[in-house]
Amino acid sequence: MRRLLPLALLTTLPLWPQARKSVFVITDAEGIAGVCRQDLTDPKDAELRQLLTGEVNAAVQGFLDGGADEVIVWDGHDGSQTLSALTIHPRARLLIGALGATMTLERRYSAVAFVGQHPMANVRGGVMAHSYSSLGIQTMRINGKAMGEIETRAALAGAFDTPVVFLSGDVAAVDELHAIVPQAVTVAVKEGLGRYTCLSLSAETARERTREQARQAMAKVGAIQPYRIAGPVTVEIEYTTRNSLPIDAGLRPGAEVVDDRTIRYHGKDFLEAWTRYSLF
Ligand SMILES: [Zn+2]
């Protein structure tokens, strides 16, 4: 005799198991529309807070429009003190504070997105371009190739099988992501003419485009492959000329002192080399 499921249970079961779609949004200030001067990147600046919050919330709305079940926003600029639970999109959750080497990516979100991202250090026409620290780091190289937040974080996400599907920032930041993830959906909110000179969209237009493109990015979840850097991997940090490595820097696990202000961490894969660097 066939056993039939109770009708009530049948109507609550989905047609097929659907994974919850979660988006992890990495935010920064230097790639937001209207931000072109260093003084405007002060996390306590009222105009910055408005500009950043508006663009972030537009992205959150776009991801939700596109079918995201959960959007987690990390306040990634300068000490995690620019965004506020008072003004963040009500359906987002705000991640506040330093994240350590893996940035919570071991939670295996469905996708990673960048909002307000700046390009890596030394890029021509990059608005306030830097790699992690404009005062501290001259150049960061992975397997000899110069990289900044975009490529290293894409690789970190890739180490946890998570693709990058969206980026907003200046033209140079958009180009930087497209060089490694051509299918990613992007919004160039400004064009850098120099380090502190840019041609920017209005906040309103930047938000409109961000919402629409974020919505479209959700359709690419599952279609875009995670970005991976194959092992073994070296992470080389050349600090700026005001820096000098500590005398025992060579004793750090997997470390090789290249010169007085350059250190190279070796790892069997990206995650191992990156974690060794992140410990210091
Ligand atoms: Zn920043």
Side-chain angles (χ1 to χ4, degrees), residues 35-236:
V35 178
C36 271
R37 299 188 314 271
Q38 201 71 52
D39 67 282
L40 204 55
T41 66
D42 179 342
K44 305 287 185 193
D45 186 281
E47 185 181 347
L48 171 68
R49 289 180 160 194
Q50 244 186 298
L51 290 169
L52 180 68
T53 304
E55 237 173 84
V56 167
N57 286 350
V60 171
Q61 188 58 55
F63 295 131
L64 294 170
D65 294 344
D69 299 294
E70 180 177 44
V71 183
I72 291 174
V73 175
W74 178 49
D75 185 354
H77 176 63
D78 197 357
S80 208
Q81 46 188 330
T82 316
L83 295 172
S84 167
L86 289 171
T87 49
I88 200 74
H89 192 295
R91 285 194 56 199
R93 279 198 290 164
L94 186 57
L95 183 56
I96 305 166
L99 300 184
T102 64
M103 299 183 74
T104 75
L105 287 159
E106 71 279 7
R107 295 184 172 213
R108 294 177 187 267
Y109 307 103
S110 310
V112 161
F114 292 96
V115 172
Q117 185 58 52
H118 57 79
M120 66 176 153
N122 315 313
V123 168
R124 197 81 180 132
V127 179
M128 290 179 271
H130 61 280
S131 296
Y132 289 90
S133 168
S134 47
L135 294 178
I137 296 177
Q138 192 71 34
T139 308
M140 173 181 278
R141 294 182 193 87
I142 313 300
N143 290 344
K145 181 189 177 194
M147 292 182 195
E149 281 91 326
I150 295 172
E151 192 161 352
T152 55
R153 287 173 171 167
L156 189 62
F160 294 102
D161 305 311
T162 308
V164 175
V165 298
F166 178 86
L167 179 143
S168 71
D170 66 5
V171 171
V174 164
D175 290 347
E176 202 173 311
L177 181 63
H178 275 160
I180 55 167
V181 188
Q183 296 167 278
V185 179
T186 57
V187 183
V189 298
K190 59 191 173 186
E191 178 190 352
L193 307 178
R195 187 170 180 78
Y196 300 111
T197 311
C198 75
L199 188 57
S200 177
L201 295 179
S202 69
E204 189 181 335
T205 302
R207 291 171 191 181
E208 276 170 20
R209 291 191 191 171
T210 295
R211 177 175 173 173
E212 173 54 24
Q213 295 300 95
R215 186 184 68 79
Q216 291 189 25
M218 285 310 295
K220 302 229 177 168
V221 174
I224 295 181
Q225 289 299 307
Y227 175 70
R228 293 189 181 88
I229 294 175
V233 167
T234 58
V235 173
E236 183 183 299

